[in-house]
Amino acid sequence: MTTTEPFAPEIRLEAIESLLLEKGLLDLDRVEQRLEMITTELGPMNGARAVARAWVDPDYRSRLLEDGTAAVRELGIDGPQVEMLVVVENTPEVHNVVVCTLCSCYPWAVLGLPPAWYKSPEYRARVVREPRAVLADFGTEVAPDVEVRVWDSSAEVRYLVLPERPAGTGSRSESELAALVNRDSMIGVRRAGQVDD
Amino acid sequence: MGGMEGFGPVPVDDDVTFHEPWERQAQGLAIPVQVAARSNLDAFRHAIERVPPAQYLEGYFHRWARAFETVLVEGGVLAAGELDERLTGQTPSTAPARTTKAVPGGSGAKRPGDTPARFEVGDQVRTTAARTSGHTRLPGYARDRAGVVAAVSGTWVLPDTNAHGEGEQPTWLYSVRFPARELWGSGAGEADVVYLDCFETYLEPVT
Amino acid sequence: MTDLPVEGPAAPPRVNGEVVFEAPWQRRAFGIAVDLCEQGAYEWRSFQQALIGRVAEAERGDHPFDYWQCWLNALGDVVEQTGLVALDELDQRSVSLAARPAGHDHEHGHPHR
């Protein structure tokens, strides 16, 4: 196996694809169908629904923290990369942030596909070592006495952050609350959206 | 098939006989299937020839699988359609029985284990200092470091052995909590913590 | 990449407003890796292991880190390890494809998406 890359990636990909097609091992329609599903049906709106439900329903919140996999399935959320989902809760005392230092492991079923920065050597190297500086890069300040927990997804367990519910949202409906839950708040690099009123 | 047009080049460099374990099984079933159906080699060959064109192109062993079904149905061993019913999508030429929301990895990595967990929540542990040339999920920054077991996360396929064909070896997985200063020294944040998922084989008890 | 269309059939997939794939080959590499796994060619952790290796290798090198190149390399690794495609077969095919004149008309018999 060579470590240099003599071929442009488009060429290499086409070589793999054409050989697999010729051997009858690939069905491009099937591949396309799966891609469509992954890129449209999977996304952070799934995780946001679980977060919003946890904010309004204390029993659901308990179940979500106890067994994330089962709790998101209650909402019809299931899919790739969440064979075991652990939900970790942000509180006034604890702030959580998730990484995969070895590659790019990410809970696709609840967050969709990871953004480029999550997969970058910069994020993967720095967040585990200087999380507060990385959070500051995202505009997120954490008080010195708050414990910052970095979860390195080194095995098959996937992590989702349950962000704190923003102040002043007591009258919001569950779907309005879900709209406040952005992807970055479920990775832990930002907080859930603040409310303007 | 001879003389038919529209096919790509013959993959002459493909000299792997069996791409997947089920293909080896298919080869092994040829005689028993014929015996079960009180058939014979010629009838089997004929069955292969009668595989519909779209399925014929699925590959050599896929054709065998289709032919098996034909032989078994015609020999009265199976009712027509019974095989599809039983397999419900697991026939070799279609996708395995997974929904569109299946976990990539099929049955996944969780496995029943038959040994008790060595550690429990609250135990003090130390990660191994051993550097391995093989695959491991213990990141370099966490080698030879002391932490506390925060959770016991079930038994899973051990990537270290499975990667080298040494078997799945279901192994207990632990979430281990490391103070940042333990990992990075006194320059690290006092209130910073790293949680890392560690397989039991990476850990030793701290006495 | 700022010249990609934002909407319409040619727009690349976006997650939360961000582009996931910057080029079609990345999307196809992703799709094929997932598909082969789901067809039973390999377990996902095998692909992960290859990816971990390729990422580590890339980080030791002196080229700018290219995640999708790592992914593509890992895909090549697993299709070779599982015997779907032989390395020299892959190299030979790459050579022939690379030898096509520039601006070829995609006559190789399958559509690009």
Side-chain angles (χ1 to χ4, degrees), chain A residues 19-20 27 29 31 61 73 77 84 89 97 160 181-182:
Chain A
L19 287 166
L20 291 173
D27 175 340
D29 287 337
V31 173
R61 177 182 151 279
R73 277 201 191 122
I77 299 166
M84 179 169 174
E89 181 186 36
V97 60
L160 186 78
V181 185
N182 56 74

Side-chain angles (χ1 to χ4, degrees), chain C residues 22-79:
Chain C
E22 291 177 325
W25 69 264
Q26 296 173 347
R27 185 170 186 270
R28 284 154 62 199
F30 175 80
I32 290 172
V34 169
D35 183 72
L36 289 176
C37 174
E38 292 180 344
Q39 299 315 309
Y42 46 79
E43 298 288 350
W44 189 249
R45 64 182 157 281
S46 299
F47 180 82
Q48 248 178 319
Q49 282 156 202
L51 183 60
I52 288 173
R54 286 296 189 167
V55 164
E57 176 191 58
E59 290 174 338
R60 285 193 298 270
D62 46 21
H63 301 293
F65 182 77
D66 183 339
Y67 177 81
W68 286 112
Q69 181 71 62
C70 293
W71 183 283
L72 179 61
N73 292 342
L75 176 58
D77 293 341
V78 291
V79 299

Side-chain angles (χ1 to χ4, degrees), chain B residues 45-98:
Chain B
R45 283 205 187 101
H46 183 51
I48 289 185
E49 288 161 10
R50 285 181 286 144
V51 170
Q55 292 164 359
Y56 194 86
L57 293 172
E58 285 162 349
Y60 187 70
F61 286 104
H62 292 92
R63 295 198 289 274
W64 281 50
R66 293 280 177 200
F68 290 165
E69 183 181 359
T70 304
V71 166
L72 290 170
V73 167
E74 291 179 349
V77 177
L78 284 180
E82 183 182 350
L83 194 61
D84 281 337
E85 225 180 306
R86 286 199 200 183
L87 296 179
T88 327
Q90 279 184 350
T91 52
S93 59
T94 61
R98 296 170 191 147

Side-chain angles (χ1 to χ4, degrees), chain A residues 50-102:
Chain A
V51 168
R53 176 65 58 91
W55 284 348
V56 303
D57 180 349
D59 289 335
Y60 183 77
R61 177 182 151 279
S62 299
R63 293 199 298 280
L64 188 64
L65 297 176
E66 176 64 35
D67 183 343
T69 325
V72 302
R73 277 201 191 122
E74 283 181 45
L75 304 183
I77 299 166
D78 197 353
Q81 295 293 298
V82 288
E83 192 177 356
M84 179 169 174
L85 182 69
V86 170
V87 181
V88 292
E89 181 186 36
N90 282 357
T91 69
E93 293 82 35
V94 173
H95 188 97
N96 298 279
V97 60
V98 182
V99 66
C100 173
T101 62
L102 292 173

Side-chain angles (χ1 to χ4, degrees), chain A residues 79-143:
Chain A
Q81 295 293 298
V82 288
E83 192 177 356
M84 179 169 174
L85 182 69
V86 170
V87 181
V88 292
E89 181 186 36
N90 282 357
T91 69
E93 293 82 35
V94 173
H95 188 97
N96 298 279
V97 60
V98 182
V99 66
C100 173
T101 62
L102 292 173
C103 50
S104 52
C105 302
Y106 192 76
W108 296 354
V110 286
L111 290 183
L113 296 186
W117 59 259
Y118 181 87
K119 303 179 285 191
S120 70
E122 292 78 14
Y123 180 73
R124 292 170 24 246
R126 289 182 60 219
V127 77
V128 72
R129 183 166 190 151
E130 42 175 11
R132 293 168 197 268
V134 172
L135 292 175
D137 286 350
F138 282 91
T140 304
E141 296 295 326
V142 179

